[in-house]
């Protein structure tokens, strides 16, 4: 399988339009930013799927040679998208894909029912919505994907929607030809046995790197919820598990713009690297 990491920032991107925290200020000074969390994945280098659809999706697709349309005038290698949540930073890009003519969006039932853009997009006619009922499917191009329920965190716009344990999922992609396994979880609230089972035999784990510490938002911006209140385990806690999976690449993504690991010379970045973990980069390619 081939994976293109299209974007690596949490909601707001880097820099965030209204933020002057240390990392956003450094990003403005160097001109080096990050687009919002999203992947493209393929089992055969011909049929591609998005995993999440960020508000930056147009720019991300244009920057990715594998996603260039053609040779037919309206032919695209993109077959669909899989969503890990209903959060706006993972779903607003769907509105930018409304010209699609044959495109399937996979997500859990609560996510599909909540999506505010769905009713807006439907009249354009080319997007099908498919509920991940049994949690396992084979994509065009041969990849097998399993969804792993991770939690009940609802987006703020759906705060009164019914409780369900699959508002947030991870995906485990297996390439039956190469045997490669990728696990992707940009929103991980709890280190559960179910999550540990998903990691079993993984070659690469792309996981929640939103915050380095639980109170980072308050420290960096003077306001805001804790990481745990937002359903994100901080890196300072999850990095301790890294040594239990020595055979896997361990890459943090969905990086909030307040996160000091984004500064190349920070102590937090060094701590991640010394633990044998990596920080994802926009445009990164993984072959598994
Ligand atoms: C999250 O990852 O916690 C959400 O995307 C935050 C948000 O945008 O409200
Ligand atoms: Mn997010
Ligand atoms: Zn910032």
């Amino acid at each position: 399988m081939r994976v293109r990491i299209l974007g690596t920032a949490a909601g707001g991107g880097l820099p965030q339009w209204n933020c002057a925290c240390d990392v956003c200020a450094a990003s403005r000074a160097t001109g080096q930013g990050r687009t919002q969390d999203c992947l493209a994945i393929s089992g055969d280098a011909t049929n591609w799927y998005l995993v999440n659809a960020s508000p930056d999706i147009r720019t991300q697709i244009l920057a990715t040679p594998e996603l260039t349309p053609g040779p037919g005038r309206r032919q695209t290698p993109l077959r669909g998208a899989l969503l890990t949540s209903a959060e706006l930073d993972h779903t607003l890009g769907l509105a930018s894909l409304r010209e699609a003519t044959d495109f399937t969006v996979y997500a859990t039932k609560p996510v599909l029912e909540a999506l505010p853009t769905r009713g807006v997009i439907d009249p354009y006619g080319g997007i099908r919505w498919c509920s991940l009922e049994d949690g396992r499917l084979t994509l065009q191009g041969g990849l097998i994907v399993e969804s792993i329920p991770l939690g009940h965190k609802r987006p703020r716009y759906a705060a009164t929607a019914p409780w369900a344990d699959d508002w947030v999922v991870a995906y485990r992609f297996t390439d039956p030809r190469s045997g490669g396994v990728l696990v992707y979880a940009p929103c991980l609230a709890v280190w559960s046995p179910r999550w540990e089972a998903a990691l079993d035999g993984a070659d690469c784990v792309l996981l929640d790197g939103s915050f380095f510490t639980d109170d980072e938002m308050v420290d960096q911006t003077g306001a805001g919820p804790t990481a745990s209140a937002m359903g994100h385990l901080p890196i300072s806690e999850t990095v301790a598990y890294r040594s239990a999976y020595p055979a896997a690449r361990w890459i943090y993504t969905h990086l909030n713009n307040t996160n000091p690991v984004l500064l190349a010379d920070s102590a937090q970045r060094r701590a991640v690297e010394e633990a044998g973990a990596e920080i994802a980069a926009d445009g990164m390619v993984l072959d598994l």
Side-chain angles (χ1 to χ4, degrees), residues 86 107-115 131 161-168:
T108 62
K109 208 158 149 278
V111 169
L112 288 180
E113 283 172 3
L115 281 180
S131 171
W163 189 96
D165 72 351
D166 56 358
W167 273 98
V168 177

Side-chain angles (χ1 to χ4, degrees), residues 101-169:
T101 50
D102 183 13
F103 190 95
T104 308
V105 175
Y106 300 94
T108 62
K109 208 158 149 278
V111 169
L112 288 180
E113 283 172 3
L115 281 180
T117 42
R118 191 170 164 188
V120 177
I121 296 167
D122 272 341
Y124 296 82
I127 297 189
R128 276 183 305 278
W129 309 91
C130 187
S131 171
L132 290 163
E133 294 293 358
D134 63 0
R136 186 185 169 99
L137 69 137
T138 302
L139 300 175
Q140 291 181 59
L143 292 183
I144 297 164
V145 55
E146 294 159 81
S147 61
I148 299 103
L150 288 184
H152 57 269
K153 188 201 168 196
R154 287 156 287 200
R156 279 196 255 180
Y157 69 77
T160 57
W163 189 96
D165 72 351
D166 56 358
W167 273 98
V168 177
V169 298

Side-chain angles (χ1 to χ4, degrees), residues 10-280:
L14 174 69
Q16 179 170 313
W17 68 278
N18 63 343
C19 191
C21 75
D22 294 344
V23 188
C24 283
S27 164
R28 282 192 190 88
T30 60
Q32 293 190 339
R34 288 172 182 257
T35 62
Q36 292 163 86
D37 179 57
C38 189
L39 312 178
I41 190 163
S42 178
D44 62 358
T46 301
N47 295 282
W48 287 82
Y49 290 81
L50 299 173
V51 196
N52 290 322
S54 94
D56 302 314
I57 196 67
R58 178 177 177 276
T59 312
Q60 293 169 331
I61 291 173
L62 295 183
T64 306
E66 294 93 334
L67 303 182
T68 305
R73 291 292 169 99
R74 281 293 169 95
Q75 193 178 350
T76 165
L78 280 171
R79 303 283 166 261
L82 299 119
L83 308 177
T84 61
S85 74
E87 296 288 349
L88 295 178
D89 59 335
H90 283 152
T91 60
L92 274 181
L94 293 172
S96 297
L97 303 173
R98 66 191 174 282
E99 296 92 349
T101 50
D102 183 13
F103 190 95
T104 308
V105 175
Y106 300 94
T108 62
K109 208 158 149 278
V111 169
L112 288 180
E113 283 172 3
L115 281 180
T117 42
R118 191 170 164 188
V120 177
I121 296 167
D122 272 341
Y124 296 82
I127 297 189
R128 276 183 305 278
W129 309 91
C130 187
S131 171
L132 290 163
E133 294 293 358
D134 63 0
R136 186 185 169 99
L137 69 137
T138 302
L139 300 175
Q140 291 181 59
L143 292 183
I144 297 164
V145 55
E146 294 159 81
S147 61
I148 299 103
L150 288 184
H152 57 269
K153 188 201 168 196
R154 287 156 287 200
R156 279 196 255 180
Y157 69 77
T160 57
W163 189 96
D165 72 351
D166 56 358
W167 273 98
V168 177
V169 298
Y171 287 113
R172 179 180 163 106
F173 296 93
T174 303
D175 183 337
R177 282 170 293 227
S178 69
V181 174
L182 171 80
V183 177
Y184 171 57
C187 181
L188 182 67
V190 184
W191 201 274
S192 64
R194 200 172 201 176
W195 164 244
E196 285 199 333
L199 293 182
D200 198 30
D203 299 293
C204 183
V205 185
L206 258 179
L207 82 160
D208 189 341
S210 308
F211 302 103
F212 192 82
T213 48
D214 198 39
D215 45 11
E216 178 182 303
M217 284 272 265
V218 186
D219 282 353
Q220 291 296 319
T221 70
T226 57
S228 45
M230 294 180 74
H232 297 289
L233 276 175
I235 294 178
S236 57
E237 290 181 35
T238 58
V239 78
Y241 297 97
R242 197 273 172 272
S243 59
Y245 302 89
R249 274 181 85 174
W250 193 267
I251 308 175
Y252 286 104
T253 194
H254 189 270
L255 304 151
N256 198 58
N257 58 72
T258 49
N259 194 328
V261 298
L262 292 168
L263 300 171
D265 57 355
S266 66
Q268 294 85 350
R269 175 67 157 258
R270 257 196 319 281
V272 165
E273 288 170 353
E274 280 166 10
E278 299 169 62
I279 299 299

